Amino acid sequence: MTAMPSTTVANLRDLGGTPLPGGRTVRPGLVLRSGRLDRLDLEADPVVAALGLRTVIDFRTAVERADRPDRVPAGARGLAADVLADQVHTGRMPAAAHLGDLLSDPAVAEEHLGGGKAQAMFGEVYRSFVHSASAQAAYRLLLTEAADPDAGPLLFHCTAGKDRTGWGATVILSLLGADDDTLMAEYLSVNPAVRQAFAPMIEGFTVSGGDPDIALALIGVFPSYLRAALDEVATRYGSMEKYVREGLGVPDETVGALRARLVA
């Protein structure tokens, strides 16, 4: 996966270049991932302008989208696919959807997230990526669009581009044949960019007396988070292919088209 030096989009990465078995790689320039696009400025950001994006999939909640609407490039389609809608509907707003609120009060953060609670919470959120209906619909859309040559260069994102987006990237790369070590390395590779993007928030939280371990648990990604989702796949479906076929409802023909389009 290739990090791209965008000036207006945080954590922009091309899945292209990811190594696959047999000396093959993911074809570049077709499927990209990032954080939110509320600051996107194509005139000031030639890196993004050169991508020629035709499809943008936004995994954020309705509240997140309303607070910081995407700036979708002219001529591109913007598609909303709220991964966390089911959890929001039941009143269990996940941490991934309100980082700023959680890091605004160290005492509240310690009460609700200290002592390993943050890590446990993220484990449950990642398991919901696999089994909740809203997440299944969102990732079904991602795979269907990524397999369609008419979708053009596609970018998918959430707020920070690490959790909801990270699972989407893991599913795609797994279907393309990436091995376990590659999947984990690519998942963790976003940490430097994410921590840089949220550095002021982390600093403000710790200066106010907040536990830096809580901040890092919220801002970063960790192997245990991804393993929670992978374990959920194994427990419920037995394999990524069955999860995609039976859980997401994506037919084998679409998976075949995805591989034909993205494997170089």
Side-chain angles (χ1 to χ4, degrees):
M1 198 179 303
T2 305
M4 308 190 74
S6 168
T7 58
T8 66
V9 178
N11 201 13
L12 177 64
R13 308 179 74 83
D14 186 349
L15 271 62
T18 302
L20 302 174
R24 309 188 79 175
T25 61
V26 179
R27 188 169 283 118
L30 293 178
V31 180
L32 304 102
R33 56 178 287 185
S34 74
R36 63 195 182 207
L37 303 185
D38 59 303
R39 295 176 55 245
L40 175 61
D41 183 343
L42 294 183
E43 291 186 3
D45 200 337
V47 169
V48 181
L51 297 174
L53 295 175
R54 301 294 298 168
T55 303
V56 173
I57 298 179
D58 186 346
F59 285 152
R60 296 177 300 165
T61 65
V63 171
E64 290 173 290
R65 297 196 305 272
D67 286 347
R68 296 180 182 270
D70 271 355
R71 294 180 178 179
V72 177
R77 298 178 303 148
L79 305 175
D82 185 347
V83 170
L84 299 175
D86 287 349
Q87 294 203 53
V88 173
H89 180 70
T90 58
R92 296 176 302 187
M93 177 70 82
H98 60 139
L99 288 173
D101 291 342
L102 286 170
L103 293 180
S104 64
D105 189 328
V108 172
E110 179 62 36
E111 177 184 356
H112 293 284
L113 302 172
K117 294 177 184 176
Q119 292 85 346
M121 176 184 62
F122 269 101
E124 290 306 308
V125 170
Y126 271 70
R127 290 182 184 279
S128 80
F129 292 166
V130 175
H131 64 70
S132 80
S134 60
Q136 290 174 346
Y139 295 119
R140 179 168 59 248
L141 176 68
L142 172 64
L143 296 180
T144 302
E145 291 291 332
D148 184 354
D150 293 333
L154 175 152
L155 181 144
F156 60 102
H157 76 91
C158 50
T159 292
K162 67 184 185 75
D163 299 308
R164 291 164 282 187
T165 298
W167 179 242
T170 297
V171 174
I172 290 176
L173 294 176
S174 179
L175 290 176
L176 298 183
D179 61 31
D180 292 345
D181 289 343
T182 298
L183 292 177
M184 184 60 74
E186 296 299 338
Y187 170 73
L188 296 175
S189 68
V190 304
N191 270 328
V194 171
R195 289 172 181 173
Q196 179 180 7
F198 288 92
M201 187 181 295
I202 297 173
E203 182 179 0
F205 178 73
T206 54
V207 166
S208 299
D211 183 347
D213 288 340
I214 291 177
L216 290 176
L218 294 177
I219 297 301
V221 294
F222 293 85
S224 62
Y225 299 175
L226 183 60
R227 290 191 190 111
L230 293 172
D231 287 347
E232 190 76 358
V233 167
T235 299
R236 288 178 178 264
Y237 300 101
S239 70
M240 185 66 75
E241 287 74 14
K242 287 191 67 177
Y243 157 64
V244 168
R245 184 187 310 116
E246 299 174 8
L248 303 187
V250 175
D252 292 342
E253 293 79 6
T254 299
V255 175
L258 180 80
R259 290 168 175 156
R261 183 175 185 232
L262 297 184
V263 176

